[in-house]
Amino acid sequence: MDYTLRCNSLKCRTQLNDRAVVTTCSHVFCIRCSDSLGLSSSAGIARTCPACSTQLSNPDDAVVAQLNPTEDYKTSILSGLSPNIIMECASRGLAFYSYQTSQEIVYQEYLAKTLTENYGNLSQQMDKLILEANSEIKTLQEKLQGYNPVQRCC
Ligand SMILES: [Zn+2]
Ligand SMILES: [Zn+2]
């Protein structure tokens, strides 16, 4: 039932199970991609989201998230906040998740479309090959019949 987020770098798409870098523009990257794409660079250096090019100027615009938080973390992370803020954080977290799942659907649909197109092209090529082969066979058969020596009866 639970959908596992994948690194938003299209060349990577690693399943994210442990730690990941999340951005306020609703993108998520594995630690390795985050390092190589400059998301982990220290404060002061302008960061840009590799997925949507949003400027991530605040320190919390891209942070490491624990995807499997410990019990004590779950207990303490929202403790002390007012119900309004708790609900706001929860709804933003849900929005993030729903954006990620909808993007995954778009990606899968794109993949399916590309595969269908490729299949269509291949199938056309195959039909053409079969047609050519059949006509060649026909030509050869005709030639063969032309050269057929007089039938001898034994
Ligand atoms: Zn990655
Ligand atoms: Zn982004």
Side-chain angles (χ1 to χ4, degrees), residues 14 32 43 50 61 65 81 103 106 120 123-125 133-134 143-144:
T14 302
R32 230 174 40 169
D61 277 340
L81 302 177
Q103 286 302 100
V106 170
S123 161
Q124 263 177 16
Q125 278 177 22
N134 277 343
K143 265 190 192 165
L144 215 65

Side-chain angles (χ1 to χ4, degrees), residues 7-52:
C7 175
N8 286 175
S9 166
L10 285 183
K11 283 182 196 146
C12 175
R13 289 187 44 80
T14 302
Q15 284 206 339
L16 304 167
N17 298 309
D18 180 27
R19 267 156 29 105
V21 172
V22 294
T23 68
T24 43
C25 51
S26 293
H27 289 114
V28 62
F29 302 93
C30 69
I31 302 291
R32 230 174 40 169
C33 284
S34 153
D35 286 345
S36 66
L37 297 170
L39 267 186
S40 322
S41 57
S42 48
I45 300 163
R47 294 175 298 176
T48 327
C49 174
C52 70

